[in-house]
Amino acid sequence: MISIRILDTPEEMKEVEDLQRLVWPDCETDVIPVHLLVTAAHNGGLVLGAYQDDKMVGMLFGFAGLYYTPDGPRPKHCSHQMGVHPNARNSGVGFALKRAQWQMIRQQGLDRITWTYDPLLSRNGHLNIGQLGAVCNTYMREVYGEMRDGLNVGLASDRFQVDWWINTRRVEGYLGERKHPALTMVDIEEAACQNLYPVGLRDGFIRPAGPLASPQGNLLVAEIPADFLKLKAADFELAKEWRVFSREVFETSFSAGYLVTDFIYDTSRDRPRSFYLLTYGEATL
Ligand SMILES: CC(C)(COP(=O)(O)OP(=O)(O)OC[C@H]1O[C@@H](n2cnc3c(N)ncnc32)[C@H](O)[C@@H]1OP(=O)(O)O)[C@@H](O)C(=O)NCCC(=O)NCCS
C-alpha cells in the first residue's frame, strides 16, 4: 500500500536526497540538496514523498514559477524532478505522486503545471501524456547542456516541455475514479492516422527507415523505441540517430501546428511498440 506525504522537514528532505542518488546515479552535483528542498517547500513549492511500509520509494519536487503571455506574466507550478526507486517502478507510484500534485496545486488556485522530459523515454511518455493527460507542443534543444548523471550521460539533453492544464475536463477525465482507457495500435489503424515515417529493425531495435513525411490531416503518429535506455546501452550510435531524427520530427510537426495529445504503448503483439499521437488544432487545450 502506497501513501503520499507532503514533506517539509530537513530529515524528510535527507531521504529525498538519498533517493535522488539512487535514481540518477554517478553525479553528486545533480542532487537537489536539503536546504533548497526545504526552502522551496516553505515558499510555495511542493515536495512529495511516496512511502511503502514507511520507506520512501518515490519523490516529486516542484516550485512556483511564471509563464509569459501577451498580457503579462501568469503564475504556474514548475514540476522539476520525479523519481521512483527502481524496485518500485511500474506499480503506480509515479501516477499516485502526480495525482497528489494535481490535487495540491489546484488548491493553490493555479491552472497550469509544466515539466520537461526526454521524449524518447516511452515509459515517461506513457505516464505523462497517455495517463495524466498532459499535452506538448514545445521542443527544447539541449536544454540542460551536457548532463553527467548515469541516466543521461552522452546524449544531447533535448526535452519536451509538457503543459498540464489541471482544471480542464480533459485532465479531470484522465485522473478520475476510473483509469483512462489506453489506446492501442488498432485505434491508430482504424483512425487512419498519417504515419510520419517507416521504421526498420536492427538487432532487435527499431531505427528510423525513411524520410520524414510532410505532416498532413488531423492525426499523425510517430513511433519511438519502446525501451530507449536498453537501445542506448546496446547501440549508442543508434541512440544518437534517434535523438537527431526525433528532433526533426517534433520540431517540424510543432511548427506546422500539431500538438502531442496521446501516447500508445501496445504490448499485445510480438514486440512492445510505442507511438506519439499528434493532433492538429488543439493548441488552446
Ligand atoms: C518515470 C518514473 C518516475 C515513473 O514512475 P513509476 O512509478 O514507474 O510510474 P507508474 O508505475 O505510475 O507508471 C508507469 C507506466 O509506464 C508503463 N511502462 C513500463 N514500461 C514502459 C515502456 N517501456 N513504455 C511505455 N510504458 C511503460 C507501466 O506499465 C505503467 O503503466 P500502467 O500503470 O498503465 O501499467 C520512473 O520510471 C523513474 O523514476 N524513472 C527514472 C527517472 C525519471 O525518468 N524521472 C522523470 C523525469 S524527472
Side-chain angles (χ1 to χ4, degrees), residues 23-24 80-85 88-96 115-118 121-124 126-127 131 151 179 226-227 263 265 274:
V23 176
W24 293 274
H80 186 57
Q81 199 87 292
M82 176 161 78
V84 172
H85 191 292
R89 288 183 192 160
N90 300 331
S91 54
V93 176
F95 185 83
W115 66 94
T116 62
Y117 78 97
D118 184 339
L121 295 181
S122 168
R123 187 205 317 253
N124 301 49
H126 174 74
L127 176 62
Q131 293 186 304
L151 272 190
K179 204 160 185 179
D227 190 340
F263 191 86
Y265 177 55
S274 302

Side-chain angles (χ1 to χ4, degrees), residues 234-251:
D235 188 343
F236 193 66
E237 286 309 308
L238 183 56
K240 286 203 282 195
E241 196 183 321
W242 268 110
R243 171 66 82 224
V244 172
F245 185 75
S246 58
R247 176 186 282 176
E248 185 192 354
V249 170
F250 294 117
E251 286 185 343

Side-chain angles (χ1 to χ4, degrees), residues 36-37 39-47 61-68 74-80 101 105 108 110 112-114:
L36 187 54
L37 293 165
T39 306
H42 290 175
N43 292 280
L46 183 64
V47 188
F61 161 68
F63 49 87
L66 291 175
Y67 66 101
Y68 298 90
R74 298 260 164 82
K76 70 168 182 177
H77 184 82
C78 177
S79 184
H80 186 57
Q101 183 186 51
I105 299 304
Q108 291 185 348
L110 300 180
R112 184 184 187 194
I113 302 179
T114 64

Side-chain angles (χ1 to χ4, degrees), residues 1-79:
M1 172 77 181
I2 297 292
S3 63
I4 306 292
R5 297 183 203 156
I6 299 170
L7 311 179
D8 71 349
T9 68
E11 293 74 25
E12 290 167 328
M13 299 313 183
K14 178 72 179 61
E15 287 184 87
V16 175
E17 255 193 11
D18 293 342
L19 186 56
Q20 290 178 78
R21 280 190 193 96
L22 239 162
V23 176
W24 293 274
D26 310 326
C27 197
E28 186 59 25
T29 50
D30 280 359
V31 172
I32 305 164
V34 168
H35 65 86
L36 187 54
L37 293 165
V38 169
T39 306
H42 290 175
N43 292 280
L46 183 64
V47 188
L48 296 174
Y51 288 83
Q52 192 167 29
D53 303 329
D54 253 10
K55 182 179 171 335
M56 186 184 286
V57 293
M59 53 74 64
L60 178 56
F61 161 68
F63 49 87
L66 291 175
Y67 66 101
Y68 298 90
T69 75
D71 301 323
R74 298 260 164 82
K76 70 168 182 177
H77 184 82
C78 177
S79 184

Side-chain angles (χ1 to χ4, degrees), residues 16-284:
V16 175
E17 255 193 11
D18 293 342
L19 186 56
Q20 290 178 78
R21 280 190 193 96
L22 239 162
V23 176
W24 293 274
D26 310 326
C27 197
E28 186 59 25
T29 50
D30 280 359
V31 172
I32 305 164
V34 168
H35 65 86
L36 187 54
L37 293 165
V38 169
T39 306
H42 290 175
N43 292 280
L46 183 64
V47 188
L48 296 174
Y51 288 83
Q52 192 167 29
D53 303 329
D54 253 10
K55 182 179 171 335
M56 186 184 286
V57 293
M59 53 74 64
L60 178 56
F61 161 68
F63 49 87
L66 291 175
Y67 66 101
Y68 298 90
T69 75
D71 301 323
R74 298 260 164 82
K76 70 168 182 177
H77 184 82
C78 177
S79 184
H80 186 57
Q81 199 87 292
M82 176 161 78
V84 172
H85 191 292
N87 297 340
R89 288 183 192 160
N90 300 331
S91 54
V93 176
F95 185 83
L97 281 164
K98 291 302 283 187
R99 196 169 195 287
Q101 183 186 51
W102 172 69
Q103 287 169 329
M104 296 306 301
I105 299 304
R106 269 155 58 109
Q107 282 177 20
Q108 291 185 348
L110 300 180
D111 60 8
R112 184 184 187 194
I113 302 179
T114 64
W115 66 94
T116 62
Y117 78 97
D118 184 339
L120 287 170
L121 295 181
S122 168
R123 187 205 317 253
N124 301 49
H126 174 74
L127 176 62
N128 294 332
I129 310 286
Q131 293 186 304
L132 298 173
V135 295
C136 177
N137 62 357
T138 306
Y139 191 92
M140 299 167 126
R141 282 189 188 203
E142 300 187 44
V143 64
Y144 301 121
E146 202 178 309
M147 298 186 82
R148 290 160 293 174
D149 69 277
L151 272 190
N152 292 296
V153 66
L155 269 194
S157 56
D158 290 20
R159 296 289 181 265
F160 272 3
Q161 178 180 283
V162 298
D163 293 310
W164 206 24
W165 296 104
I166 54 178
N167 294 313
T168 56
R169 276 172 49 198
R170 171 187 169 88
V171 170
E172 279 177 20
Y174 275 70
L175 297 193
E177 289 301 304
R178 284 211 223 114
K179 204 160 185 179
H180 182 73
L183 294 178
T184 66
M185 285 173 66
V186 175
D187 297 305
I188 303 184
E189 285 150 11
E190 286 180 354
C193 307
Q194 184 195 14
N195 186 14
L196 282 174
Y197 47 90
V199 297
L201 274 181
R202 184 160 91 200
D203 298 332
F205 294 111
I206 62 162
R207 61 176 186 83
L212 172 61
S214 166
Q216 280 164 7
N218 288 328
L219 288 175
L220 313 176
V221 284
E223 182 162 6
I224 60 159
D227 190 340
F228 185 67
L229 294 177
K230 195 166 159 200
L231 179 154
K232 184 178 154 193
D235 188 343
F236 193 66
E237 286 309 308
L238 183 56
K240 286 203 282 195
E241 196 183 321
W242 268 110
R243 171 66 82 224
V244 172
F245 185 75
S246 58
R247 176 186 282 176
E248 185 192 354
V249 170
F250 294 117
E251 286 185 343
T252 304
S253 310
F254 293 167
S255 64
Y258 290 85
L259 178 78
V260 167
T261 52
D262 222 320
F263 191 86
I264 292 152
Y265 177 55
D266 191 313
T267 53
S268 67
R269 302 192 183 176
D270 50 337
R271 60 185 168 82
R273 294 182 71 177
S274 302
F275 302 85
Y276 283 103
L277 196 68
L278 294 97
T279 313
Y280 187 77
E282 282 193 40
T284 53

